[in-house]
Amino acid sequence: MTRFSAAAEDVAKRLRDGMAGGVLSFPLTSLREDGGLDLAAYRAYLTAQLASAPGAVFPACGTGEFFSLDEDEYRAVVGATVEIADGRLPVVAGIGYGWAQALRFARIAEEAGADAALVLPHYLVTAPQDGLVEQLRRIASGTSLPLIAYQRGQVAFTADSLRRIAEIPTVIGLKDGHSDLDRLQRLTLAAPDGFLFFNGASTAEIQARAYATVGVPAYSSAVHAFAPEIANAFFAALRDGDDASVTELLRDFYVPLVELRDRVPGYAVSLVKAAARLRGLPVGPVRAPLTDPGPDDLGALAKVLDDGLKVVGAVRRSD
């Protein structure tokens, strides 16, 4: 039995149903060349993204440069996402920093109509397990939004801490970015029935088969932000047991993309945005401290993108 509140259980069910049928979309945040938020461009971009039927949408998270948004920009992005999603799929907004600041963002997301919040790793410091649990308790006590914890970087829960956060009625799941399958298996075994788990590794498709072996088939897809044709083809092949197609996409697209991504810190976001621009999507540049890729890496990215689209029978631009 889960210990979810009734409202949290409803959101958990919608997420469970959604992630069984599609990837989890983490959209980019559209910016102008001067660095300002371009809300009209974001709305156009997100409308196209949702047309490809993801299982849920997570605005203003890592791929969406949450760390660079002020509160007014965050409110605009989450509000636009809720409006465009129009109840068709769950909207899970990113929140983060220390618990007090995370609560400010959670309340904005709640007012904007988000269904849940993804609690991004706290800022800077390494903390003991009691502190990690208390951080979530503090956030949960100040918002009615269901929460998904995100362990990555300095945040890593033990099985005992997982049991403790699962007792919080509005904490409905855990996104994992460590890719430590031994630890993750222990966490899944410690969790109550119905607790959600998500593969949140960078370019999660690379490890999707491995995550599925420990009971975590759902994953976030940064590729969906610029090539939903590839992301959806991979998801379908993995779901249907089409190992040949999974292997072809990994070999010809995902592995070369990751090798390029690993060249420069921050490329996990910068390359995604650059790939979206290569496809004519209105997303603009990244904000400092991230940097956009130079000509050589852009050329390499264009080739990787074209190779991946060729596998699924698509083209980079239709105009």
Side-chain angles (χ1 to χ4, degrees):
M1 290 289 293
T2 64
R3 298 181 176 86
F4 299 160
S5 67
E9 176 57 41
D10 178 67
V11 173
K13 182 181 184 305
R14 291 181 64 207
L15 280 167
R16 196 176 298 115
D17 292 344
M19 67 192 194
V23 300
L24 305 176
S25 174
F26 283 67
L28 298 157
T29 298
S30 298
L31 301 174
R32 300 189 303 267
E33 290 300 320
D34 65 4
L37 175 66
D38 190 338
L39 190 60
Y42 176 75
R43 294 174 67 88
Y45 163 72
L46 185 67
T47 298
Q49 286 288 294
L50 298 192
S52 60
V57 60
F58 289 66
C61 292
T63 306
E65 297 179 81
F66 167 79
F67 50 86
S68 291
L69 301 178
D70 67 28
E71 292 181 12
D72 289 338
E73 292 168 333
Y74 177 86
R75 180 180 290 105
V77 168
V78 176
T81 306
V82 170
E83 181 184 342
I84 293 166
D86 194 27
R88 292 172 293 161
L89 74 172
V91 175
V92 184
I95 63 173
Y97 307 113
W99 64 262
Q101 188 66 14
L103 266 178
R104 290 177 66 92
F105 283 100
R107 288 165 181 159
I108 293 170
E110 190 170 358
E111 291 169 2
D115 297 293
L118 177 67
V119 183
L120 301 169
H122 62 267
Y123 172 68
L124 191 60
V125 297
T126 301
Q129 292 294 309
D130 285 349
L132 297 181
V133 174
E134 183 62 18
Q135 164 94 336
L136 283 170
R137 284 178 176 156
R138 291 272 187 167
I139 297 170
S141 70
T143 177
S144 64
L145 283 179
L147 304 175
I148 299 168
Y150 188 5
Q151 63 169 18
R152 190 186 187 98
Q154 68 271 35
V155 177
F157 293 100
T158 63
D160 178 65
S161 294
L162 189 283
R163 293 186 189 96
R164 293 161 66 192
I165 67 170
E167 291 175 351
I168 302 170
T170 54
V171 174
I172 62 174
L174 176 75
K175 181 181 179 186
D176 173 72
H178 285 294
S179 304
D180 180 341
L181 296 185
D182 179 283
R183 174 190 288 268
L184 185 59
Q185 182 70 91
R186 296 168 191 266
L187 296 181
T188 62
L189 293 172
D193 291 345
F195 197 80
L196 304 177
F197 285 91
F198 309 87
N199 167 3
S202 295
T203 317
E205 287 92 340
I206 286 284
Q207 299 188 61
R209 286 195 286 201
Y211 269 80
T213 64
V214 295
V216 184
Y219 60 90
S220 57
S221 177
V223 169
H224 187 273
F226 64 89
E229 307 98 320
I230 298 174
N232 288 345
F234 184 91
F235 178 88
L238 186 67
R239 177 196 61 202
D240 298 341
D242 183 355
D243 290 336
S245 294
V246 168
T247 298
E248 182 180 22
L249 282 166
L250 288 172
R251 182 187 60 233
D252 294 350
F253 173 72
Y254 284 100
V255 168
L257 179 67
V258 167
E259 290 174 349
L260 182 58
R261 181 202 72 198
D262 289 346
R263 289 184 186 178
V264 177
Y267 265 17
V269 176
S270 300
L271 275 186
V272 172
K273 224 167 193 187
R277 292 195 301 273
L278 285 173
R279 303 207 70 191
L281 298 171
V283 297
V286 293
R287 275 181 176 170
L290 300 180
T291 58
D292 290 306
D296 289 347
D297 286 347
L298 275 177
L301 176 62
K303 182 182 185 308
V304 170
L305 178 55
D306 287 343
D307 288 347
L309 291 168
K310 182 178 178 181
V311 172
V312 300
V315 295
R316 192 197 310 171
R317 301 281 289 269
S318 59
D319 53 2

